[in-house]
């Protein structure tokens, strides 16, 4: 692929005035015309400017679009909105992936990787040139660059499988990245080796919340490392993996250890904050637990008062205590236009390209203990109303609200409120009241506490079969489920036994795994994680059969047999290489599953 000149891109981003916070000029520099590279790397300010460019790159539209398309569009979360004429989206959702589609261009991610490689190459030189810049000051910046590079490679390897692993920088528009693909497992090995080398060098506190949530920290390094370990463990757990036994188990254990580190650090941070600010008179008298870290929702008399609860804190106010790493978007200097494009256009009051899958939202499951639910949410689960707009029982499309709404409240006047719907089995029409953002200023969240908790629970489900460990994994899931189902656990709910989770149902490794998969879908709907969860599950099983049958297949009503046939191999879960990349780099080899001009209907009803 063709690499753009670093300074045309980086300085151009700065011209746009993108900032992480008004109290710091980390991302605010004046452009310098006709700068040449050898004259650029003079002092630590030059270095920090390019670090800033890395974060600018993460929030650009082409990256944000791919977080949604690559992480969500192929999953069972979404269907295309009725009336939208989008050929590429039709093909993507119909398992007819074409190498000609621009959505498969990986250039934005490799540009990000190039910035990181620039930093890693020139950082040591600045130590020699700038006497105020020491090796100790360089360590956390190096950790940032390596982690951001690892994050981009991880998105690429999960989307395409075998990819070029790039550790050298490119300087000018005339150069192409002429590297062959590296096998998936070797890419994961390199990412893990890189992250392990810097995991303890990351910053623990930048001094303000926006930086602590919007820049790489020690906690975000460990969270990413846990995710990569979980992916590699699942790959090696496949029945045809030569490393099936020992390496897979070691990686699941490493995942657990990384998750524990993040949880312990978040408990320590919260404890220090409470004691420092005097939030508790006399200070804390007992140790906080992981459940204490979760922002609660109010279960007052079974009412829905989420505007002062978790959704508002995490997605409305942003940079919550639960946040580990999220891209900072203020809605003024920079916007998240992809949210309005794919979810909901606030200014036009128009549904975006995607709607919530009817199979997940058209009904309510009677109990979360069902192992093969006909729908995803129970009636008491607040996340159903947070994720989608529900107006009436006969509606055909469910608009996506995640990220778009800044708060979600109980029912509008004249409509049965959600608190009544939760308690009245006869109610049929109900609607939540949403407060939408004035602008598309939603941050994009990469990692938050519940993700770490559920990664640990998933690893436990694969590593252990004894009651003690399985109960620990179950309890982690229950904390998250209980937070979003406060009425199910309230004393006013006479059916609490039916609405709450039951350990006996999930007391096996297979049972806990099924619970984690369902809870991850409920918790991270529309957050760019579902497709990768499904791919990880299929790789662990060594087959796409269970994944397509139990999850993906439920959203298709047309061409189902053809789509099932298309997704019959693990290779079909990975996207095709964009044809322009192959033209520019003859060392690349196309994913053999996807051929130009192939159409799903050719194999319909096989």
């Amino acid at each position: 692929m063709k690499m753009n000149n670093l300074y045309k891109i980086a300085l151009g981003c700065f011209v746009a005035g993108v900032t992480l916070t008004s109290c710091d000029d980390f991302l605010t520099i004046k452009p310098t015309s006709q700068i040449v590279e050898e004259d650029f790397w003079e002092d630590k300010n030059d270095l920090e400017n390019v670090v800033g460019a890395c974060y600018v790159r993460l929030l650009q539209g082409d990256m944000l679009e791919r977080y949604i398309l690559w992480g969500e569009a192929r999953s069972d979360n979404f269907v295309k909105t009725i009336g939208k004429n989008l050929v590429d989206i039709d093909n993507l959702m119909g398992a007819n992936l074409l190498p000609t589609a621009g959505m498969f261009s990986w250039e934005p991610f490799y540009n990000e990787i190039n910035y990181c490689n620039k930093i890693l190459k020139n950082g040591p030189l600045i130590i020699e040139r700038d006497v105020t810049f020491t090796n100790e000051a360089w360590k956390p910046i190096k950790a940032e660059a390596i982690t951001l590079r690892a994050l981009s490679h991880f998105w690429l390897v999960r989307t395409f499988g075998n990819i070029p692993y790039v550790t050298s920088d490119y300087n000018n528009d005339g150069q192409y990245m002429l590297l062959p693909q590296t096998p998936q497992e070797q890419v994961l090995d390199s990412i893990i080796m890189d992250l392990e080398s810097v995991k303890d060098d990351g910053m623990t506190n930048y001094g303000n919340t926006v930086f602590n949530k919007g820049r790489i920290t020690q906690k975000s390094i460990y969270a990413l490392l846990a995710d990569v370990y979980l992916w590699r463990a699942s790959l090696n757990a496949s029945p045809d993996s030569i490393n099936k036994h020992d390496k897979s188990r070691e990686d699941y254990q490493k995942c657990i250890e990384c998750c524990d580190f993040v949880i312990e650090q978040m408990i320590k941070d919260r404890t220090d904050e409470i004691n420092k600010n005097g939030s508790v008179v006399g200070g804390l008298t007992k140790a906080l637990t992981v459940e204490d870290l979760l922002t609660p929702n109010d279960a007052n008399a079974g009412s829905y008062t989420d505007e002062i609860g978790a959704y508002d804190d995490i997605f409305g106010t942003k940079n919550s205590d639960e946040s580990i790493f999220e891209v900072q978007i203020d809605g003024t200097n920079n916007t998240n236009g992809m949210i309005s494009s794919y979810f909901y256009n606030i200014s036009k009051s128009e549904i975006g390209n995607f709607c919530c899958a009817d199979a997940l939202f058209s009904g309510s499951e009677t109990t979360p203990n069902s192992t093969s639910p006909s729908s995803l949410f129970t009636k008491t689960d607040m996340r159903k109303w947070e994720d989608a707009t529900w107006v009436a029982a006969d509606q055909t499309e469910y608009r996506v609200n995640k990220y778009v709404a800044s708060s979600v409240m109980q029912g509008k006047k004249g409509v049965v409120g959600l608190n009544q719907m939760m308690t009245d089995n006869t109610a049929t029409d109900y609607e939540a009241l949403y407060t939408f953002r004035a602008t598309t200023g939603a941050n994009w969240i990469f990692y938050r506490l519940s993700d770490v908790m559920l990664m640990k629970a998933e690893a436990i489900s694969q590593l252990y079969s004894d009651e003690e460990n399985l109960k620990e994994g179950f309890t982690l899931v229950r904390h998250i489920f209980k937070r979003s189902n406060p009425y199910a656990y309230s004393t006013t709910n006479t059916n609490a036994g039916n609405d709450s989770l039951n350990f006996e149902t999930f007391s096996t490794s297979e049972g806990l795994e099924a619970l984690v998969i369902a809870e991850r879908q409920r918790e991270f709907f529309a957050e760019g994680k579902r497709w990768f969860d499904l791919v990880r599950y299929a790789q662990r099983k060594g087959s796409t059969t269970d994944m397509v049958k139990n999850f993906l297949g439920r959203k298709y009503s047309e061409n189902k047999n053809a789509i099932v046939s298309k997704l019959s191999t693990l290779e079909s879960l990975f996207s095709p290489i964009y044809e322009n990349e192959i033209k520019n780099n003859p060392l690349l080899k196309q994913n053999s599953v996807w051929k130009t001009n192939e159409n799903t209907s050719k194999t319909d009803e096989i």
Side-chain angles (χ1 to χ4, degrees):
M1 77 157 256
K2 198 171 184 179
M3 285 300 203
N4 294 315
N5 181 284
L6 174 70
Y7 305 109
K8 288 182 181 178
I9 300 173
L11 296 178
C13 290
F14 293 139
V15 175
V18 178
T19 59
L20 277 177
T21 175
S22 59
C23 66
D24 195 302
D25 61 357
F26 177 63
L27 292 185
T28 55
I29 67 170
K30 299 298 181 183
T32 302
S33 61
Q34 305 197 351
I35 193 167
V36 293
E37 178 158 12
E38 49 268 30
D39 297 330
F40 183 81
W41 302 94
E42 293 297 326
D43 56 34
K44 62 182 178 181
N45 291 327
D46 293 335
L47 185 66
E48 289 175 351
N49 287 335
V50 183
V51 173
C54 289
Y55 290 100
V56 170
R57 187 65 249 170
L58 288 180
L59 56 81
Q60 296 298 291
D62 48 10
M63 296 282 272
L64 290 166
E65 182 176 39
R66 283 158 177 77
Y67 302 152
I68 297 172
L69 291 177
W70 295 359
E72 291 286 354
R74 296 182 69 187
S75 78
D76 52 341
N77 279 345
F78 294 117
V79 294
K80 194 191 74 168
T81 302
I82 296 172
K84 297 287 185 178
N85 184 21
L86 302 163
V87 176
D88 284 346
I89 297 298
D90 280 338
N91 284 327
L92 183 67
M93 290 189 160
N96 186 40
L97 280 63
L98 300 179
T100 54
M103 69 177 74
F104 299 122
S105 171
W106 55 30
E107 183 173 0
F109 285 84
Y110 280 112
N111 279 336
E112 168 76 357
I113 289 168
N114 195 41
Y115 294 165
C116 297
N117 287 333
K118 289 285 185 186
I119 294 166
L120 294 170
K121 174 185 175 181
N122 291 284
L125 299 177
I126 292 179
I127 295 176
E128 299 175 4
R129 297 172 181 173
D130 185 348
V131 295
T132 67
F133 188 64
T134 65
N135 188 59
E136 286 303 305
W138 162 239
K139 281 184 178 180
I141 295 177
K142 178 182 177 181
E144 275 187 278
I146 284 179
T147 304
L148 290 170
R149 184 179 72 181
L151 181 65
S152 287
H153 277 126
F154 191 45
W155 271 82
L156 290 166
V157 76
R158 290 181 299 172
T159 303
F160 298 98
N162 302 333
I163 60 164
Y165 187 77
V166 183
T167 58
S168 299
D169 67 299
Y170 292 79
N171 294 337
N172 60 65
D173 288 338
Q175 283 188 291
Y176 288 92
M177 186 183 69
L178 298 177
L179 290 174
Q181 287 133 302
T182 301
Q184 180 185 174
E185 187 170 356
Q186 290 182 29
V187 174
L188 298 172
D189 292 345
S190 296
I191 292 173
I192 287 173
M193 181 176 65
D194 282 349
L195 292 175
E196 284 284 354
S197 71
V198 298
K199 66 182 182 182
D200 295 322
D201 293 334
M203 289 288 288
T204 57
N205 192 334
Y206 287 97
N208 67 77
T209 299
V210 174
F211 273 29
N212 286 338
K213 306 301 183 182
R215 289 182 68 174
I216 293 298
T217 63
Q218 192 178 70
K219 290 191 289 292
S220 54
I221 298 173
Y222 272 86
L224 174 58
L225 191 53
D227 209 356
V228 183
Y229 273 126
L230 186 60
W231 188 275
R232 192 175 72 174
S234 299
L235 176 64
N236 286 324
S238 169
D240 59 358
S241 171
I242 60 175
N243 298 310
K244 178 182 177 183
H245 300 292
D246 294 339
K247 192 169 184 179
S248 178
R249 293 184 63 83
E250 289 173 3
D251 282 351
Y252 281 128
Q253 185 58 49
K254 286 287 189 180
C255 173
I256 292 172
E257 291 171 4
C258 288
C259 291
D260 282 339
F261 177 88
V262 175
I263 292 169
E264 289 167 5
Q265 287 301 306
M266 295 186 80
I267 288 175
K268 180 181 182 300
D269 291 347
R270 183 73 63 83
T271 301
D272 291 345
E273 180 184 5
I274 291 173
N275 289 334
K276 178 181 178 180
N277 296 334
S279 303
V280 176
V281 177
L284 289 172
T285 57
K286 69 173 186 176
L288 295 176
T289 67
V290 66
E291 186 178 18
D292 296 323
L293 300 179
L294 293 171
T295 302
N297 287 309
D298 188 0
N300 180 27
S303 66
Y304 189 98
T305 56
D306 196 34
E307 72 272 19
I308 56 171
Y311 183 92
D312 180 65
D313 195 36
I314 296 170
F315 300 101
T317 307
K318 305 185 292 189
N319 295 320
S320 70
D321 287 340
E322 297 181 33
S323 173
I324 296 172
F325 180 51
E326 57 188 80
V327 175
Q328 303 295 305
I329 301 172
D330 63 17
T332 302
N333 295 306
N334 48 83
T335 60
N336 190 344
M338 291 304 107
I339 295 299
S340 63
S341 176
Y342 288 100
F343 295 169
Y344 181 64
N345 191 316
I346 302 165
S347 62
K348 296 182 180 180
S349 297
E350 180 183 274
I351 297 176
N353 296 333
F354 294 160
C355 283
C356 305
D358 182 79
L360 304 180
F361 287 86
S362 59
S364 294
E365 184 59 44
T366 57
T367 169
N369 295 301
S370 173
T371 55
S372 55
S374 56
S375 55
L376 185 61
F377 300 96
T378 62
K379 191 166 60 171
T380 63
D381 200 316
M382 292 180 170
R383 292 169 296 190
K384 179 174 182 177
W385 328 118
E386 295 164 352
D387 292 343
T389 295
W390 177 280
V391 179
D394 60 349
Q395 75 180 82
T396 57
E397 292 186 297
Y398 303 88
R399 187 188 71 213
V400 183
N401 294 319
K402 177 69 75 69
Y403 283 121
V404 181
S406 57
S407 68
V408 185
M409 293 168 275
Q410 64 181 31
K412 293 180 179 179
K413 184 177 181 181
V415 182
V416 175
L418 295 183
N419 57 320
Q420 292 171 265
M421 185 58 200
M422 290 177 184
T423 59
D424 184 359
N425 290 326
T426 64
T428 56
D429 290 348
Y430 45 96
E431 184 177 2
L433 178 62
Y434 300 95
T435 301
F436 294 112
R437 301 178 190 279
T439 62
T440 50
N443 287 356
W444 181 268
I445 301 173
F446 281 105
Y447 292 105
R448 53 191 177 96
L449 174 62
S450 52
D451 196 0
V452 172
M453 294 168 67
L454 290 176
M455 283 194 287
K456 179 179 178 180
E458 183 174 334
I460 288 174
S461 77
Q462 301 305 305
L463 193 57
Y464 298 108
S465 58
D466 62 288
E467 180 175 328
E468 180 180 359
N469 281 294
L470 291 176
K471 186 166 285 188
E472 180 185 5
F474 170 82
T475 301
L476 289 168
V477 180
R478 183 181 181 273
H479 289 328
I480 297 167
F481 178 84
K482 182 179 178 182
R483 185 259 293 276
S484 290
N485 289 264
Y487 180 73
Y489 291 86
S490 73
T491 57
T492 59
N493 179 14
T494 57
N495 295 317
N498 294 328
D499 293 336
S500 56
L501 292 176
N502 181 351
F503 173 67
E504 284 67 28
T505 307
F506 306 105
S507 59
T508 64
S509 298
E510 295 77 13
L512 179 58
E513 178 187 45
L515 176 62
V516 171
I517 291 172
E519 188 63 19
R520 283 189 65 87
Q521 187 173 23
R522 289 188 283 260
E523 181 72 4
F524 304 121
F525 183 87
E527 295 184 46
K529 297 182 183 292
R530 179 60 177 175
W531 177 248
F532 299 135
D533 286 352
L534 294 178
V535 176
R536 186 172 65 249
Y537 174 82
Q539 288 197 133
R540 188 158 63 226
K541 302 299 181 184
S543 167
T544 65
T545 302
D546 288 347
M547 184 270 278
V548 173
K549 177 183 177 182
N550 297 335
F551 306 113
L552 194 61
R554 61 186 171 184
K555 87 169 183 178
Y556 294 110
S557 58
E558 298 178 0
N559 289 340
K560 183 171 182 177
N561 290 341
I563 291 168
V564 170
S565 176
K566 279 286 192 117
L567 300 177
S568 60
T569 65
L570 289 173
E571 289 76 15
S572 67
L573 303 183
F574 295 102
S575 298
I577 309 300
Y578 186 41
E579 65 173 8
N580 286 358
E581 307 295 357
I582 294 179
K583 289 179 182 178
N584 292 334
N585 182 358
L587 299 179
L588 297 178
K589 295 182 179 180
Q590 184 60 269
N591 182 337
S592 60
V593 174
W594 308 113
K595 304 296 182 181
T596 304
N597 297 326
E598 199 170 324
N599 193 288
T600 306
S601 61
K602 292 181 180 180
T603 54
D604 193 17
E605 302 303 325
I606 287 180

